[in-house]
Amino acid sequence: MIRRAPIFYKTALTSIAAVATISVAMPLTAAQKNGAVAQDFKLTDMYGKTVQLSDFRGKTVVMEWHNPGCPFVVKHYDSGNMQATQAAARKQGAVWLTINSGAQGKQGYMKGPEAQKLTKEQGMNSDHYLLDVKGVVGKAYAAKTTPHMYIIDGSGKLVYQGGIDDKPTANKADIKVARNHVTAALTELNAGKSVSVAQSRPYGCSVKYAS
């Protein structure tokens, strides 16, 4: 379950990360590239706590774009697939960030208390549920769908982006025969290997950004 105040070991930032931190208050660079250092950012979580990506340097980070009203998201949560993937990632030492870029008045938008209720009801295993109401971070990472998945390795480089698996449907039955790209990538990283499928087509509902 998501905890109110998880404590993570903070490592010193490299000069590249320091530059990224300075730019947090400015418009972020659009579309992150695999193999490049992932753009740093700050967002507020559902408890009102500020969370910064660079705080997790040294750990693998998984980012999941989320909209509770999207049928494709419902597929992975009602089946328990997303929760199981989250739990497996955290067991391997990864940090999981669930991000909601839904704008106020649009599908999926939630305030902190609503997100707290939802995460408890659904048994989410994220480390943080982050609110990106203005869509700044979502647009910076070119997050197109819910879910849209990203993996950042311990050195801060983006090593995967795309769908959670290779079955772009809202049918729960497809999960059993799908290749879970996130789980596969994390297993490869932990084995010291390169991610064999570093990019795939994201699928789901469009992210409901502010106009």
Side-chain angles (χ1 to χ4, degrees):
M1 296 294 294
I2 295 178
R3 298 173 183 172
R4 180 177 292 271
I7 300 175
F8 300 95
Y9 178 76
K10 296 184 179 182
T11 57
L13 299 179
T14 62
S15 58
I16 294 177
V19 171
T21 301
I22 292 171
S23 69
V24 166
M26 305 175 187
L28 298 173
T29 304
Q32 307 300 301
K33 296 181 179 179
N34 284 352
V37 174
Q39 181 79 37
D40 197 11
F41 62 81
K42 291 181 181 178
L43 284 175
T44 301
D45 73 5
M46 64 185 183
Y47 297 113
K49 176 184 176 182
T50 299
V51 175
Q52 185 162 350
L53 177 63
S54 56
D55 286 346
F56 309 116
R57 183 61 62 89
K59 293 179 176 287
T60 299
V61 177
V62 181
M63 299 193 299
E64 165 213 356
W65 259 261
H66 181 258
N67 169 1
C70 172
F72 295 88
V73 173
V74 171
K75 163 191 174 180
H76 290 290
Y77 274 96
D78 279 6
S79 64
N81 184 54
M82 189 66 79
Q83 296 94 321
T85 304
Q86 292 165 346
R90 293 185 64 188
K91 187 175 181 179
Q92 293 179 348
V95 175
W96 192 289
L97 305 178
T98 299
I99 302 175
N100 188 330
S101 294
Q104 187 171 2
K106 296 190 177 182
Q107 185 192 56
Y109 169 78
M110 289 189 295
K111 295 182 178 180
E114 296 170 306
Q116 293 174 39
K117 182 174 183 291
L118 178 73
T119 57
K120 183 177 181 179
E121 290 175 348
Q122 295 196 336
M124 284 190 186
N125 289 306
S126 304
D127 288 285
H128 293 281
Y129 192 100
L130 305 176
L131 305 175
D132 180 35
V133 180
K134 295 182 179 180
V136 175
V137 175
K139 290 177 181 178
Y141 277 79
K144 296 179 174 61
T145 65
T146 51
H148 195 156
M149 313 297 299
Y150 297 79
I151 299 176
I152 300 167
D153 69 11
S155 70
K157 294 181 180 179
L158 186 65
V159 295
Y160 176 76
Q161 56 181 312
I164 184 174
D165 60 29
D166 60 355
K167 298 295 180 185
T169 75
N171 186 353
K172 297 175 189 176
D174 287 339
I175 293 173
K176 293 181 180 180
V177 295
R179 181 189 191 271
N180 189 314
H181 293 316
V182 174
T183 300
L186 292 175
T187 299
E188 290 170 338
L189 287 175
N190 284 338
K193 300 178 180 178
S194 299
V195 176
S196 57
V197 179
Q199 191 157 351
S200 69
R201 182 171 69 88
Y203 70 89
C205 306
S206 61
V207 179
K208 305 301 188 278
Y209 290 116
S211 301

